[in-house]
Amino acid sequence: MKSDKHRAALSQTITVLLGYFGENQQWERVTEVISYTKRIRFKLNVIQFTALINVHGKANQFDQVVEVFEEMKRSGVEPNNVSCCSLIASLTKSSDPHHAEPLLEVWTLLRNQTPEMETDKDMTALSQTITVLLVYFGENQQWERVTEVISYTKNVFQLGAHQYNTLLSSFGKANNLDALQQCLETMMQKGATNAISWQIVIQHLTKPSQRMHVAQDDVVEAWKKWRPLAQWGDDSQEEGDAVRTWVNLVQYFGSEEIANWEVVGSLEKWMLIDNFTELQKNNKRLALTALRRVYHEAERSEDAARVGGLLLASQGLNAHSRHPLSQ
């Protein structure tokens, strides 16, 4: 290199090339760039190593991601916040248990660094990393690690509703209802609950395996909290999620173990009188089919027949039409 100016220009060029060839999945070209830097004894900086991590991570080349991380350490280049976030984003996608150890090493590095939050982009990247870690550790039931992530965030920023919902889902999937309840209480104190929060809670409280372990009052309370937040007639995904949550409630209160027909009646009124006209046709079918089945299995034949008639009408049929759901 003739001067620092030339060296800086070359460094920028290498960064650009790594990004360009990586984005276009031209792996041979990426290898050429790396070979070139080794031939001229050019030492990659943290930005270029991070670019390589992103290249391999987007291609799901997780062994190469780990190799880049090891090369950083051999070169004496310490990963910064951005590097750690990129490494975490990549390694949490891997199902190979051999990648768990380097992931924990990177998480430890991130925890011990001063958070870089000079821009909104920095804040967004770190927030996404926290969410990814909560999902990863939660799905693997590594509750001590989940606690570490939460403790880390207390010194950085407040968890948002999306991240708390991730925690709720993890606790629910693990049938850790005590932790779910504690998380929910924290969310309520911070005003961080939304419709999705209550849908997650209802989904897990109403599981058949939990019916004898959950107080009915807790389920009723969850329904009351969710009811004014439920979304009907808007986004198809949100409406579908809301209808499935309603079905969970009907199946819970109409089950043999619970058999609370007063609440089932309230749920039916809420759906069929207050919200039914707004529903998409497939969601009407889902709701009515589930309600009819609950009444049928409880041998409440008049209610089952009444809902069956509503089901046929909602599909533009009549009682004499040949329809599989009328059988």
Side-chain angles (χ1 to χ4, degrees):
M1 281 299 113
K2 294 182 178 181
S3 67
D4 290 342
K5 184 178 180 179
H6 289 138
R7 187 171 183 83
L10 178 61
S11 180
Q12 291 175 351
T13 300
I14 289 171
T15 302
V16 169
L17 287 172
L18 288 173
Y20 177 82
F21 292 138
E23 286 291 335
N24 290 278
Q25 300 185 23
Q26 299 180 30
W27 311 126
E28 291 184 6
R29 300 300 183 190
V30 170
T31 301
E32 287 176 357
V33 175
I34 297 303
S35 297
Y36 170 72
T37 61
K38 291 179 179 179
R39 189 170 70 251
I40 65 172
R41 298 182 180 180
F42 180 90
K43 185 177 179 181
L44 296 181
N45 61 30
V46 68
I47 296 174
Q48 292 151 349
F49 274 121
T50 303
L52 271 177
I53 292 166
N54 289 330
V55 165
H56 293 305
K58 289 177 181 178
N60 294 329
Q61 297 171 336
F62 304 120
D63 287 338
Q64 289 89 330
V65 169
V66 174
E67 177 56 34
V68 172
F69 178 43
E70 295 299 327
E71 181 63 27
M72 290 181 78
K73 292 189 290 184
R74 288 193 292 268
S75 301
V77 178
E78 183 177 349
N80 59 15
N81 274 196
V82 177
S83 307
C84 288
C85 289
S86 295
L87 283 162
I88 289 168
S90 297
L91 295 179
T92 50
K93 294 190 295 182
S94 172
S95 58
D96 188 337
H98 293 97
H99 297 147
E101 184 175 343
L103 172 62
L104 290 179
E105 184 179 350
V106 175
W107 163 230
T108 300
L109 280 173
L110 182 62
R111 288 172 58 202
N112 292 330
Q113 291 176 352
T114 300
E116 298 173 6
M117 296 191 298
E118 296 179 359
T119 67
D120 290 342
K121 186 177 180 180
D122 294 335
M123 186 73 172
T124 299
L126 187 56
S127 177
Q128 290 173 342
T129 299
I130 295 303
T131 302
V132 166
L133 286 170
L134 289 173
V135 171
Y136 178 84
F137 291 138
E139 288 182 348
N140 289 280
Q141 300 188 28
Q142 299 180 29
W143 306 121
E144 290 185 8
R145 301 299 182 189
V146 169
T147 301
E148 288 176 357
V149 176
I150 295 172
S151 297
Y152 170 78
T153 62
K154 289 179 180 178
N155 299 320
V156 183
F157 58 83
Q158 287 192 348
L159 293 179
H162 176 66
Q163 290 155 334
Y164 273 121
N165 288 341
T166 297
L167 277 174
L168 284 177
S169 185
S170 295
F171 292 140
K173 289 176 181 177
N175 292 323
N176 191 341
L177 296 187
D178 288 340
L180 182 145
Q181 185 63 39
Q182 291 173 8
C183 181
L184 181 61
E185 289 174 358
T186 300
M187 293 175 70
M188 293 175 68
Q189 291 170 2
K190 296 180 178 293
T193 56
N194 56 21
I196 295 174
S197 311
W198 293 107
Q199 286 172 188
I200 293 170
V201 170
I202 289 169
Q203 175 190 351
H204 294 294
L205 292 185
T206 57
K207 287 179 181 177
S209 60
Q210 300 295 341
R211 285 174 184 166
M212 302 310 295
H213 306 287
V214 174
Q216 282 192 57
D217 289 346
D218 290 342
V219 182
V220 171
E221 185 63 23
W223 172 40
K224 289 180 179 179
K225 295 289 188 183
W226 171 60
R227 181 171 176 167
L229 302 174
Q231 300 293 316
W232 313 104
D234 296 320
D235 180 85
S236 58
Q237 179 64 46
E238 289 182 354
E239 181 180 282
D241 291 342
V243 170
R244 282 185 285 274
T245 301
W246 179 86
V247 168
N248 287 338
L249 287 166
V250 168
Q251 291 174 339
Y252 171 82
F253 287 109
S255 66
E256 182 179 359
E257 300 94 330
I258 307 301
N260 190 330
W261 299 107
E262 180 181 353
V263 175
V264 172
S266 297
L267 284 163
E268 178 180 342
K269 177 182 179 299
W270 179 48
M271 173 64 76
L272 302 188
I273 296 178
D274 298 344
N275 301 297
F276 195 69
T277 57
E278 299 180 27
L279 295 184
Q280 298 179 28
K281 189 173 182 179
N282 62 316
N283 287 326
K284 289 180 180 180
R285 178 189 176 108
L286 173 62
L288 289 171
T289 300
L291 183 60
R292 177 175 179 265
R293 184 176 293 117
V294 165
Y295 282 139
H296 176 73
E297 291 178 354
E299 298 182 354
R300 297 174 70 91
S301 55
E302 290 185 6
D303 289 325
R306 173 175 52 78
V307 175
L310 291 172
L311 176 60
L312 292 172
S314 73
Q315 302 299 308
L317 303 170
N318 58 55
H320 300 291
S321 300
R322 294 182 61 81
H323 193 283
L325 290 169
S326 65
Q327 304 298 318

